[in-house]
């Protein structure tokens, strides 16, 4: 991280391990939308650059889609042959089983200190950091400016205004006045965004799961009655609508508004859809918190090579590499140094609304070993809460039972 004077640190560390003959295996998720922009291209370029200065270390990388990558790593772990490093969606289960190196066993102090504070905090289990944030994003409300102008409405700041806007859009024949993707692809994100806007969340103020709280039940009851029940969420039932399909519909001009992350900007611009972005509406005003999402890098202890892994990860988290990845995939940097650079750079001004949201964002409770089970259950069940015959209280209580059982190891 040359901006912080770490070039010498990395060079010295590399020289110390350069005489070894080590191959490290990395499994990574693919953030690309096609072979043309696959994450493999990013990793191949980064690894070529690293290996050129570290002739004794070889990095082998396997890149899998998000549909497969977590399962692939789990299969490797279950077979007793985990990769040296994995860049996936969750780390807490592996940390709880004692399989991972701590971040301070691997990273130099300046690199570890450079992580954005709330992301670093989310990577901790029992006070120790095991999950190293790799990519992050936040959510804002996207709206179609042309459809809003035709309906004579302005972007909402409250739930009541959002419902009124959706009704006006429906009256103009908009296919999806508000797209509510509670399908299995990423239901946990839309769910948390709404829970936060209702002053609730997956957990309470001390970090314990509180999914069936009165505030959360009230939020999903409102969604069921005031949006879904009034036909304001489009022709596909929310429980069957995936985020990717909702994004495609927005890019096709068929959606009035939806919660979105930075990648939606390029999709909309490619199709000539003029869009606006505003903070997420809340129950009584703009939501005081928004969803922050981070994906994680972790290192398994099974095969050793702690020094080599640490040196490589110091390089991965250099400002140049972090900025390159963030810019390639319209994501937010996970380090403070890269965030400052992006905030001041003209080329990154389109990401400023998301950067501004990051400081007040709340992340999934990924440090709780129960999160993996809760996450899977939300994807399968939450759509039922807003179905015509659905019962929000019953569905949320069932998810709370899942959290309690998973937390106790049942």
């Amino acid at each position: 991280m040359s901006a912080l004077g770490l070039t010498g640190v990395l060079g010295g560390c590399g020289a110390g391990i350069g005489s070894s003959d080590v191959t490290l295996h990395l499994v990574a998720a693919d953030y690309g939308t096609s072979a043309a922009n696959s994450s493999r291209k990013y990793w191949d370029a980064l690894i070529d650059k690293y290996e050129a200065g570290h002739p004794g270390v070889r990095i082998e990388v396997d890149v899998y889609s998000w549909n497969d990558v977590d399962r692939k790593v789990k299969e490797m772990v279950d077979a007793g042959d985990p990769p040296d490093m994995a860049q996936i969606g969750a780390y807490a289960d592996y940390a709880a089983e004692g399989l991972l190196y701590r971040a301070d066993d691997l990273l130099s102090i300046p690199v570890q200190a450079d992580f954005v504070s709330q992301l670093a905090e989310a990577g901790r289990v029992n006070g120790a950091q095991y999950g190293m944030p790799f990519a992050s994003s936040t959510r804002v409300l996207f709206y179609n400016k042309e459809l809003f102008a035709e309906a004579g409405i302005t972007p909402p700041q409250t739930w009541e205004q959002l419902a009124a806007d959706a009704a006006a859009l429906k009256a103009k024949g908009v296919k999806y006045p508000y797209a509510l993707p509670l399908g299995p692809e990423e239901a946990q994100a839309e769910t948390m965004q709404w829970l936060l806007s209702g002053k609730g969340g997956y957990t309470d103020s001390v970090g314990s799961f509180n999914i069936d709280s009165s505030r959360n039940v009230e939020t999903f009851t409102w969604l069921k009655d005031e949006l879904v029940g009034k036909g304001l969420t489009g022709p596909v039932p929310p429980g069957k609508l995936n985020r990717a399909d909702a994004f495609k519909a927005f890019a096709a001009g068929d959606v009035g508004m939806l919660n979105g992350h930075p990648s939606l900007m390029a999709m909309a611009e490619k199709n000539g859809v003029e869009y606006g972005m505003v903070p997420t509406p809340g129950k009584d005003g703009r939501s005081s918190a928004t969803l922050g999402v981070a994906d994680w890098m972790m290192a398994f202890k099974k095969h050793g090579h702690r020094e080599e892994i640490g040196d490589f990860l110091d390089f991965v988290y250099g400002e140049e590499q972090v900025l390159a990845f963030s810019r390639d995939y319209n994501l937010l940097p996970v380090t403070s140094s890269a965030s400052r650079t992006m905030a001041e750079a003209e080329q990154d001004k389109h990401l400023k609304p998301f950067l501004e949201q990051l400081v007040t964002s709340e992340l999934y409770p990924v440090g709780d070993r129960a999160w993996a089970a809760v996450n899977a259950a939300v994807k399968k069940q939450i759509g039922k809460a807003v179905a015509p015959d659905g019962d929000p209280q019953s569905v949320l209580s069932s998810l709370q039972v899942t959290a309690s059982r998973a937390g106790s190891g049942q």
Side-chain angles (χ1 to χ4, degrees), residues 61-410:
V61 60
D62 289 315
V63 176
Y64 297 101
S65 76
W66 275 109
N67 293 329
D68 300 321
V69 67
D70 291 276
R71 175 178 54 82
K72 289 284 188 180
V73 171
K74 186 177 186 304
E75 289 172 354
M76 295 175 193
V77 172
D78 290 346
D81 187 26
D84 296 289
M85 295 164 286
Q87 185 271 297
I88 53 178
Y91 67 87
D93 273 5
Y94 299 130
E97 294 169 16
L99 301 179
L100 302 180
Y101 283 116
R102 290 162 51 133
D104 56 12
D105 289 332
L106 301 167
L107 302 175
S108 64
I109 292 173
V111 171
Q112 191 175 0
D114 196 33
F115 287 129
V116 173
S117 60
Q118 64 262 51
L119 300 180
E121 186 63 31
R124 295 180 183 275
V125 175
N126 296 325
Q129 185 179 354
Y130 294 92
M132 293 162 278
F134 182 77
S136 69
S137 67
T138 56
R139 300 293 195 269
V140 298
L141 185 77
F142 282 74
Y143 65 96
N144 184 309
K145 287 187 173 182
E146 182 178 350
L147 297 180
F148 266 59
E150 291 174 355
I153 55 178
T154 57
Q157 297 186 23
T158 67
W159 289 358
E160 183 179 359
Q161 292 168 359
L162 186 148
D165 284 352
L169 290 164
K170 181 182 180 182
K172 288 293 184 178
V174 175
K175 188 174 183 180
Y176 293 91
Y178 177 86
L180 182 66
L182 296 177
E185 179 196 0
E186 205 188 32
Q188 80 283 4
E190 184 75 11
T191 297
M192 184 166 172
Q193 189 76 8
W194 276 99
L195 296 183
L196 290 173
S197 72
K199 300 180 181 179
Y202 287 121
T203 59
D204 59 22
S205 59
V206 296
S208 299
F209 278 101
N210 193 30
I211 302 172
D212 58 350
S213 70
S214 58
R215 284 181 174 176
N216 291 345
V217 172
E218 183 180 350
T219 294
F220 265 82
T221 300
W222 186 89
L223 278 173
K224 179 179 183 294
D225 294 345
E226 302 301 323
L227 284 188
V228 182
K230 293 183 177 179
L232 302 179
T233 56
V236 179
K240 295 183 178 180
L241 181 64
N242 282 328
R243 176 194 56 81
D245 295 327
F247 278 21
K248 288 178 183 176
F250 186 86
D254 292 331
V255 174
M257 50 187 161
L258 81 170
N259 287 320
H261 56 63
S263 69
L264 183 55
M265 295 186 293
M267 294 177 63
E269 289 165 2
K270 183 179 179 180
N271 286 6
V273 173
E274 189 176 358
Y275 62 88
M277 300 182 292
V278 295
T280 302
K283 181 182 177 183
D284 303 314
R286 286 181 176 174
S287 180
S288 59
T290 190
L291 170 66
V293 177
D295 302 321
W296 302 95
M297 179 73 76
M298 63 212 69
F300 289 88
K301 297 189 292 187
K302 179 67 181 283
H303 303 300
H305 308 311
R306 179 180 66 83
E307 291 185 8
E308 290 84 359
I309 293 171
D311 186 75
F312 176 65
L313 291 178
D314 267 2
F315 181 79
V316 167
Y317 285 107
E319 183 175 348
E320 181 180 346
Q321 284 71 248
V322 172
L323 280 172
F325 182 83
S326 301
R327 287 166 171 165
D328 282 351
Y329 298 104
N330 277 320
L331 292 165
L332 303 183
V334 296
T335 62
S336 296
S337 57
S339 294
R340 287 192 296 269
T341 298
M342 182 173 279
E344 297 170 359
E346 179 67 20
Q347 73 183 92
D348 301 314
K349 64 180 182 179
H350 61 297
L351 290 171
K352 191 172 182 181
F354 300 93
L355 276 171
E356 291 173 344
Q357 294 285 315
L358 188 59
V359 295
T360 58
S361 66
E362 293 190 22
L363 281 77
Y364 303 130
V366 290
D368 193 310
R369 67 178 302 169
W371 171 243
V374 171
N375 183 25
V378 168
K379 291 177 179 180
K380 291 180 181 179
Q381 299 179 32
I382 197 63
K384 299 175 184 177
V386 297
D389 58 349
D391 178 6
Q393 175 73 67
S394 176
V395 172
L396 294 177
S397 293
S398 175
L399 293 171
Q400 179 63 30
V401 170
T402 297
S404 298
R405 287 176 175 171
S408 62
Q410 297 181 21

Side-chain angles (χ1 to χ4, degrees), residues 32-38 41 329:
T33 55
S34 67
N37 68 343
S38 169
K41 291 190 173 184
Y329 298 104

